[in-house]
Amino acid sequence: MAEALLSLVNVEKHFGGVSATDRTSLDVRPGEIHALIGPNGAGKTTLVHQISGLLSPDAGSIHFDGIDVTHWPMYRRVRKGLVRSFQVTSIFSQLTAIDNALLAAQAGAGSSFRFWHPVRADKALHESAGRVLARVGLAERGSRMAGSLAHGEQRRLEVGLALAARPKLLLLDEPLAGMSPDESQQMVDLISQLKSETTLLLIEHDMAAVFQLADRVSVMVSGRIIATGAPSEIRANEAVRKAYLGDEVSA
Protein backbone atom coordinates (compact mmCIF):
# COMPACT_ATOMS: atom_id res chain seq x y z
CA MET A 1 0.00 0.00 0.00
CA ALA A 2 1.35 3.42 -0.97
CA GLU A 3 2.39 5.77 1.82
CA ALA A 4 -0.20 8.48 2.37
CA LEU A 5 0.32 11.77 0.54
CA LEU A 6 -1.85 13.51 3.14
CA SER A 7 -2.21 12.24 6.69
CA LEU A 8 -4.28 13.78 9.48
CA VAL A 9 -3.96 12.37 13.00
CA ASN A 10 -6.42 13.30 15.77
CA VAL A 11 -7.10 16.78 14.40
CA GLU A 12 -9.30 18.92 16.64
CA LYS A 13 -10.94 22.31 16.15
CA HIS A 14 -13.24 23.85 18.73
CA PHE A 15 -15.48 26.89 18.50
CA GLY A 16 -16.60 27.63 22.03
CA GLY A 17 -18.21 24.43 23.26
CA VAL A 18 -18.65 23.00 19.77
CA SER A 19 -16.14 20.45 18.41
CA ALA A 20 -16.15 21.03 14.65
CA THR A 21 -13.49 18.35 14.23
CA ASP A 22 -13.12 15.82 17.01
CA ARG A 23 -9.92 13.73 16.94
CA THR A 24 -10.33 13.40 13.18
CA SER A 25 -7.89 11.13 11.34
CA LEU A 26 -7.73 10.77 7.55
CA ASP A 27 -5.27 9.42 4.96
CA VAL A 28 -5.28 10.29 1.25
CA ARG A 29 -3.14 8.07 -0.97
CA PRO A 30 -1.18 9.26 -4.01
CA GLY A 31 -3.12 9.10 -7.28
CA GLU A 32 -6.57 8.52 -5.81
CA ILE A 33 -9.80 10.44 -5.83
CA HIS A 34 -10.81 10.42 -2.18
CA ALA A 35 -14.30 11.72 -1.39
CA LEU A 36 -15.28 13.22 1.95
CA ILE A 37 -19.03 13.12 2.54
CA GLY A 38 -21.40 13.80 5.41
CA PRO A 39 -24.46 15.82 6.40
CA ASN A 40 -24.48 19.60 6.67
CA GLY A 41 -22.72 20.65 9.86
CA ALA A 42 -20.60 17.50 9.98
CA GLY A 43 -17.38 19.55 9.98
CA LYS A 44 -16.20 18.85 6.42
CA THR A 45 -15.46 22.45 5.43
CA THR A 46 -13.79 23.16 8.78
CA LEU A 47 -11.58 20.12 8.18
CA VAL A 48 -10.68 21.32 4.69
CA HIS A 49 -9.88 24.78 6.10
CA GLN A 50 -7.38 23.08 8.43
CA ILE A 51 -5.89 20.96 5.65
CA SER A 52 -5.41 24.02 3.42
CA GLY A 53 -4.06 26.26 6.20
CA LEU A 54 -6.96 28.67 6.40
CA LEU A 55 -7.51 27.51 10.00
CA SER A 56 -5.01 26.10 12.49
CA PRO A 57 -6.03 22.99 14.44
CA ASP A 58 -6.22 23.17 18.21
CA ALA A 59 -4.64 19.71 18.47
CA GLY A 60 -3.41 16.90 16.26
CA SER A 61 -1.10 16.88 13.26
CA ILE A 62 -1.24 17.28 9.48
CA HIS A 63 1.47 15.77 7.30
CA PHE A 64 1.70 16.38 3.57
CA ASP A 65 4.20 14.70 1.25
CA GLY A 66 6.18 13.49 4.27
CA ILE A 67 6.40 16.88 6.00
CA ASP A 68 4.61 18.17 9.09
CA VAL A 69 2.64 21.18 7.79
CA THR A 70 0.34 21.51 10.81
CA HIS A 71 1.35 25.11 11.47
CA TRP A 72 2.28 26.19 7.94
CA PRO A 73 0.37 29.14 6.44
CA MET A 74 -1.69 28.54 3.32
CA TYR A 75 0.82 30.05 0.88
CA ARG A 76 3.57 27.65 2.01
CA ARG A 77 1.23 24.70 1.51
CA VAL A 78 0.33 25.93 -1.98
CA ARG A 79 4.02 26.17 -2.86
CA LYS A 80 4.46 22.60 -1.61
CA GLY A 81 1.59 21.48 -3.89
CA LEU A 82 -1.41 21.46 -1.55
CA VAL A 83 -4.02 23.53 -3.41
CA ARG A 84 -7.77 24.04 -2.95
CA SER A 85 -10.86 25.44 -4.57
CA PHE A 86 -13.61 27.02 -2.48
CA GLN A 87 -17.27 26.24 -1.87
CA VAL A 88 -18.15 29.69 -3.23
CA THR A 89 -16.64 30.51 -6.63
CA SER A 90 -13.44 32.53 -6.16
CA ILE A 91 -12.37 34.24 -9.39
CA PHE A 92 -11.67 37.80 -10.53
CA SER A 93 -15.08 38.48 -12.03
CA GLN A 94 -14.12 41.88 -13.49
CA LEU A 95 -11.22 40.42 -15.46
CA THR A 96 -11.37 38.28 -18.56
CA ALA A 97 -10.98 34.54 -18.31
CA ILE A 98 -7.53 34.75 -19.92
CA ASP A 99 -6.39 37.43 -17.48
CA ASN A 100 -7.51 35.21 -14.60
CA ALA A 101 -5.49 32.40 -16.13
CA LEU A 102 -2.49 34.68 -16.70
CA LEU A 103 -2.37 35.67 -13.04
CA ALA A 104 -2.68 32.04 -11.97
CA ALA A 105 0.02 30.96 -14.43
CA GLN A 106 2.32 33.72 -13.20
CA ALA A 107 1.81 32.69 -9.57
CA GLY A 108 2.29 29.04 -10.47
CA ALA A 109 5.57 29.86 -12.21
CA GLY A 110 6.79 31.71 -9.12
CA SER A 111 7.08 35.00 -11.00
CA SER A 112 6.99 38.34 -9.26
CA PHE A 113 3.79 40.25 -9.89
CA ARG A 114 4.87 42.78 -12.53
CA PHE A 115 1.23 42.98 -13.60
CA TRP A 116 -0.58 43.87 -16.73
CA HIS A 117 1.60 44.99 -19.60
CA PRO A 118 4.64 42.79 -18.88
CA VAL A 119 2.44 39.80 -18.09
CA ARG A 120 0.33 40.15 -21.21
CA ALA A 121 3.52 40.48 -23.27
CA ASP A 122 5.09 37.33 -21.81
CA LYS A 123 4.70 34.65 -24.48
CA ALA A 124 5.47 31.74 -22.14
CA LEU A 125 2.87 32.89 -19.63
CA HIS A 126 0.31 33.36 -22.39
CA GLU A 127 0.94 29.83 -23.61
CA SER A 128 0.61 28.51 -20.06
CA ALA A 129 -2.61 30.47 -19.51
CA GLY A 130 -3.98 29.16 -22.79
CA ARG A 131 -3.28 25.60 -21.69
CA VAL A 132 -5.10 26.26 -18.41
CA LEU A 133 -8.24 27.39 -20.26
CA ALA A 134 -8.04 24.55 -22.76
CA ARG A 135 -7.61 22.03 -19.95
CA VAL A 136 -10.96 23.00 -18.44
CA GLY A 137 -12.80 23.40 -21.75
CA LEU A 138 -12.74 27.20 -21.89
CA ALA A 139 -10.32 27.81 -24.77
CA GLU A 140 -12.98 29.74 -26.68
CA ARG A 141 -13.97 31.86 -23.66
CA GLY A 142 -10.68 33.65 -23.03
CA SER A 143 -11.90 37.12 -24.02
CA ARG A 144 -15.09 36.89 -21.95
CA MET A 145 -15.33 38.67 -18.60
CA ALA A 146 -15.13 35.95 -15.99
CA GLY A 147 -18.22 37.28 -14.24
CA SER A 148 -20.25 36.88 -17.42
CA LEU A 149 -19.49 33.17 -17.79
CA ALA A 150 -22.17 30.64 -16.94
CA HIS A 151 -22.00 29.25 -13.40
CA GLY A 152 -20.58 25.92 -14.54
CA GLU A 153 -17.94 27.69 -16.63
CA GLN A 154 -16.93 29.83 -13.66
CA ARG A 155 -16.49 26.73 -11.55
CA ARG A 156 -14.37 25.09 -14.25
CA LEU A 157 -12.31 28.29 -14.53
CA GLU A 158 -11.66 28.14 -10.80
CA VAL A 159 -10.46 24.55 -11.14
CA GLY A 160 -8.18 25.71 -13.95
CA LEU A 161 -6.71 28.44 -11.76
CA ALA A 162 -5.99 25.85 -9.08
CA LEU A 163 -4.35 23.57 -11.65
CA ALA A 164 -2.03 26.41 -12.65
CA ALA A 165 -0.43 26.08 -9.21
CA ARG A 166 0.71 22.57 -10.24
CA PRO A 167 -0.89 20.74 -7.31
CA LYS A 168 0.22 17.40 -5.95
CA LEU A 169 -3.10 17.32 -4.10
CA LEU A 170 -6.15 19.31 -5.18
CA LEU A 171 -8.96 19.90 -2.66
CA LEU A 172 -12.30 20.45 -4.36
CA ASP A 173 -14.96 21.81 -2.01
CA GLU A 174 -18.42 21.05 -3.48
CA PRO A 175 -17.45 21.68 -7.12
CA LEU A 176 -20.92 20.65 -8.37
CA ALA A 177 -22.86 23.03 -6.11
CA GLY A 178 -25.61 24.93 -7.93
CA MET A 179 -24.97 23.32 -11.31
CA SER A 180 -27.48 22.16 -13.88
CA PRO A 181 -27.40 18.46 -14.85
CA ASP A 182 -25.38 19.24 -18.00
CA GLU A 183 -22.91 21.41 -16.09
CA SER A 184 -22.58 18.73 -13.41
CA GLN A 185 -21.73 16.08 -16.00
CA GLN A 186 -19.09 18.35 -17.55
CA MET A 187 -17.49 18.81 -14.12
CA VAL A 188 -17.65 15.08 -13.38
CA ASP A 189 -15.93 14.38 -16.70
CA LEU A 190 -13.23 16.98 -15.89
CA ILE A 191 -12.59 15.61 -12.39
CA SER A 192 -12.35 12.07 -13.78
CA GLN A 193 -9.73 13.22 -16.28
CA LEU A 194 -7.72 15.02 -13.58
CA LYS A 195 -7.00 11.76 -11.80
CA SER A 196 -4.15 11.10 -14.24
CA GLU A 197 -2.56 14.43 -13.26
CA THR A 198 -3.01 14.87 -9.52
CA THR A 199 -4.42 13.38 -6.34
CA LEU A 200 -7.85 14.75 -5.42
CA LEU A 201 -9.78 15.17 -2.18
CA LEU A 202 -13.41 15.80 -3.12
CA ILE A 203 -16.03 17.21 -0.76
CA GLU A 204 -19.41 16.77 -2.42
CA HIS A 205 -23.11 16.24 -1.62
CA ASP A 206 -24.00 14.74 -5.02
CA MET A 207 -23.86 11.05 -4.16
CA ALA A 208 -24.21 9.90 -7.77
CA ALA A 209 -21.06 11.87 -8.63
CA VAL A 210 -19.23 10.68 -5.52
CA PHE A 211 -19.85 7.00 -6.22
CA GLN A 212 -19.00 7.47 -9.89
CA LEU A 213 -15.69 9.24 -9.21
CA ALA A 214 -14.21 8.11 -5.91
CA ASP A 215 -11.68 5.36 -5.32
CA ARG A 216 -12.30 5.65 -1.59
CA VAL A 217 -14.90 7.48 0.48
CA SER A 218 -14.69 8.79 4.04
CA VAL A 219 -17.87 9.62 5.91
CA MET A 220 -17.84 12.44 8.47
CA VAL A 221 -20.55 12.84 11.09
CA SER A 222 -20.45 15.25 14.05
CA GLY A 223 -16.78 16.07 13.53
CA ARG A 224 -15.58 12.47 13.27
CA ILE A 225 -14.77 10.06 10.45
CA ILE A 226 -17.07 7.09 11.06
CA ALA A 227 -16.05 4.99 8.05
CA THR A 228 -13.58 4.88 5.16
CA GLY A 229 -13.64 2.42 2.28
CA ALA A 230 -14.36 1.72 -1.35
CA PRO A 231 -17.69 3.05 -2.64
CA SER A 232 -19.22 -0.44 -2.50
CA GLU A 233 -18.19 -0.80 1.15
CA ILE A 234 -19.64 2.59 2.05
CA ARG A 235 -22.92 1.79 0.27
CA ALA A 236 -23.24 -1.42 2.29
CA ASN A 237 -22.19 0.07 5.64
CA GLU A 238 -25.25 0.04 7.90
CA ALA A 239 -23.89 2.72 10.24
CA VAL A 240 -23.26 5.03 7.29
CA ARG A 241 -26.69 4.43 5.83
CA LYS A 242 -28.30 5.17 9.18
CA ALA A 243 -26.24 8.29 9.85
CA TYR A 244 -26.23 9.82 6.38
CA LEU A 245 -27.08 7.95 3.20
CA GLY A 246 -30.47 6.58 4.18
CA ASP A 247 -32.45 5.70 1.07
CA GLU A 248 -30.38 8.03 -1.13
CA VAL A 249 -28.48 5.11 -2.63
CA SER A 250 -29.26 1.44 -2.94
CA ALA A 251 -26.93 -1.18 -1.58
Side-chain angles (χ1 to χ4, degrees):
M1 183 182 298
E3 183 178 347
L5 178 62
L6 174 71
S7 180
L8 281 67
V9 179
N10 295 331
V11 170
E12 298 183 20
K13 189 65 184 180
H14 307 286
F15 298 100
V18 177
S19 295
T21 53
D22 185 7
R23 297 180 63 81
T24 305
S25 296
L26 175 72
D27 286 341
V28 179
R29 300 169 185 165
E32 75 173 346
I33 297 179
H34 193 124
L36 179 63
I37 65 173
N40 289 329
K44 302 184 301 297
T45 294
T46 299
L47 186 64
V48 171
H49 285 343
Q50 292 172 89
I51 294 170
S52 66
L54 193 61
L55 288 175
S56 294
D58 297 324
S61 65
I62 301 172
H63 284 75
F64 176 68
D65 201 16
I67 297 175
D68 187 339
V69 300
T70 308
H71 301 294
W72 281 22
M74 181 179 285
Y75 75 89
R76 284 192 69 190
R77 300 184 199 204
V78 171
R79 288 178 180 173
K80 182 65 177 172
L82 180 52
V83 181
R84 72 167 294 182
S85 71
F86 285 84
Q87 202 170 7
V88 177
T89 304
S90 180
I91 57 176
F92 295 102
S93 61
Q94 299 303 311
L95 301 179
T96 64
I98 192 65
D99 280 341
N100 271 267
L102 279 167
L103 287 175
Q106 185 181 31
S111 304
S112 61
F113 281 88
R114 296 163 295 165
F115 282 100
W116 306 119
H117 178 71
V119 172
R120 286 174 171 155
D122 190 316
K123 182 179 178 181
L125 281 178
H126 254 288
E127 291 176 348
S128 180
R131 287 193 296 271
V132 164
L133 294 186
R135 185 66 193 83
V136 295
L138 297 174
E140 305 303 318
R141 295 287 196 268
S143 62
R144 292 279 300 275
M145 299 300 291
S148 73
L149 296 173
H151 175 67
E153 292 175 330
Q154 291 185 26
R155 295 296 279 177
R156 282 188 280 133
L157 175 60
E158 185 182 28
V159 172
L161 303 187
L163 290 174
R166 304 170 186 174
K168 295 179 182 177
L169 173 62
L170 179 57
L171 312 176
L172 296 178
D173 194 355
E174 297 197 29
L176 275 65
M179 288 190 177
S180 69
D182 285 346
E183 289 174 330
S184 293
Q185 188 57 55
Q186 289 174 337
M187 181 62 80
V188 166
D189 291 343
L190 174 59
I191 293 170
S192 180
Q193 294 163 11
L194 292 179
K195 184 180 177 182
S196 64
E197 302 174 25
T198 186
T199 303
L200 293 109
L201 178 58
L202 172 68
I203 297 85
E204 184 52 60
H205 282 289
D206 186 327
M207 290 300 98
V210 165
F211 289 118
Q212 179 180 342
L213 288 166
D215 298 297
R216 289 195 300 150
V217 180
S218 290
V219 184
M220 192 170 188
V221 176
S222 300
R224 291 191 172 187
I225 302 293
I226 66 168
T228 294
S232 59
E233 296 172 324
I234 296 300
R235 284 178 183 269
N237 187 305
E238 187 61 30
V240 172
R241 294 175 65 85
K242 184 176 180 180
Y244 180 51
L245 294 178
D247 295 327
E248 194 167 352
V249 297
S250 57

